[in-house]
Amino acid sequence: MNSPVELQPGTRQSERLGEQIEERIVTGVYPPGTRLDEQELATTFGVSRTPVREALIQLASAGLIEIRPRRGATVPEVGADRICEMFELMAEMEAMCGRLAARRITPAEQLGLQEAHKACEAARDASQPDVYYQLNEVFHQRIYEASHNGFLAEQASALHRRLRPYRRLQLRVRNRMSTSFNEHQAIVDAIIKGDSDLAASLLRSHVTVQGERFADLVATLRDFNAGS
């Protein structure tokens, strides 16, 4: 049995529990086809069934698990090609958000984006990849909002949630957190300068997972699986 789920400040128990379950899914501790029993999970993580149920609902809404009548929650099969396809679409959606944000961002939103970027810097300096990822989500959400296209922001947020565990594990690849922060700086500069083409190009490159970067991600997944 694991120790009880530890909470980050301001984090609901079900959210933190969901993060632990999704990481186990990605790293192969809960492989495709695994049935996620509420009582077993409650015992494993030392919590009641209520936060487990809430966490499973959240994971299902993000597409990370499937909940079916009489079968309960199960882990679906997601191949490497499918993950690459999702990152490919995410890169284009983020590029569009960046392009629009560079044209439409307000002074108040510029300040909010810079504050989110500064918060990421503190997590980078403290070598806290999970904290960095939580703040990284805020950073990207600020860009979605600054696009002033509600439908695009909704779709980008939904796909971002779907890719959460993979994007989080990416930050554990050597030097990736520092590289990510430097890429953020260039993105912030482009958006504030109003250079829509550059902002789009930088965000596309920032999110795209291919070649060596995807190989690094796969290696990270294998390492976590071997160490579990």
Side-chain angles (χ1 to χ4, degrees):
M1 174 176 170
N2 291 7
S3 59
V5 174
E6 296 182 0
L7 299 180
Q8 297 293 335
T11 303
R12 293 176 56 198
Q13 188 177 49
S14 61
E15 293 173 353
R16 183 59 183 151
L17 179 59
E19 290 177 358
Q20 293 195 18
I21 294 173
E22 72 180 24
E23 184 167 299
R24 288 182 174 216
I25 291 172
V26 174
T27 57
V29 177
Y30 298 148
T34 299
R35 182 173 178 274
L36 301 175
D37 180 77
E38 288 184 9
Q39 187 56 57
E40 289 180 2
L41 291 172
T43 300
T44 296
F45 292 102
V47 298
S48 67
R49 293 182 63 170
T50 298
V52 170
R53 187 175 303 111
E54 293 175 352
L56 293 179
I57 291 173
Q58 294 165 10
L59 293 174
S61 67
L64 285 166
I65 65 171
E66 296 176 348
I67 299 180
R68 298 179 180 177
R70 294 184 296 279
R71 290 188 57 187
T74 57
V75 180
E77 179 76 50
V78 182
D81 289 346
R82 186 67 169 179
I83 295 172
C84 273
E85 290 172 353
M86 288 190 287
F87 269 106
E88 188 174 57
L89 177 57
M90 186 80 258
E92 293 303 320
M93 294 178 77
E94 294 239 5
M96 185 177 292
C97 287
R99 183 185 301 280
L100 294 175
R103 289 160 42 187
R104 301 173 177 177
I105 193 169
T106 67
E109 289 170 339
Q110 288 183 6
L111 181 59
L113 181 61
Q114 290 172 315
E115 289 175 344
H117 178 51
K118 188 69 175 178
C120 288
E121 182 178 25
R124 179 206 63 179
D125 292 345
S127 298
Q128 296 177 309
D130 286 338
V131 174
Y132 182 96
Y133 179 72
Q134 292 174 355
L135 298 169
N136 173 72
E137 283 191 311
V138 175
F139 175 83
H140 284 271
Q141 191 62 44
R142 295 280 167 84
I143 296 174
Y144 303 162
E145 293 168 356
S147 74
H148 290 271
N149 183 313
F151 182 75
L152 174 61
E154 290 171 5
Q155 298 304 307
S157 295
L159 186 53
H160 190 115
R161 286 195 302 273
R162 181 66 179 84
L163 288 169
R164 276 182 61 183
Y166 306 102
R167 294 182 73 156
R168 189 171 74 249
L169 285 180
Q170 261 193 292
L171 295 173
R172 297 181 184 178
V173 173
R174 185 178 181 181
N175 297 324
R176 179 57 195 159
M177 189 161 47
S178 180
T179 300
S180 171
F181 178 81
N182 292 336
E183 291 171 356
H184 281 189
Q185 183 64 66
I187 291 166
V188 170
D189 292 343
I191 290 176
I192 291 179
K193 289 178 182 177
D195 192 333
S196 57
D197 288 341
L198 179 58
S201 177
L202 290 171
L203 272 160
R204 183 180 294 109
S205 298
H206 178 65
V207 177
T208 299
V209 176
Q210 59 186 8
E212 292 182 358
R213 189 181 295 181
F214 186 70
D216 288 342
L217 175 59
V218 170
T220 301
L221 295 175
R222 288 173 177 168
D223 288 344
F224 265 77
N225 194 23
S228 61

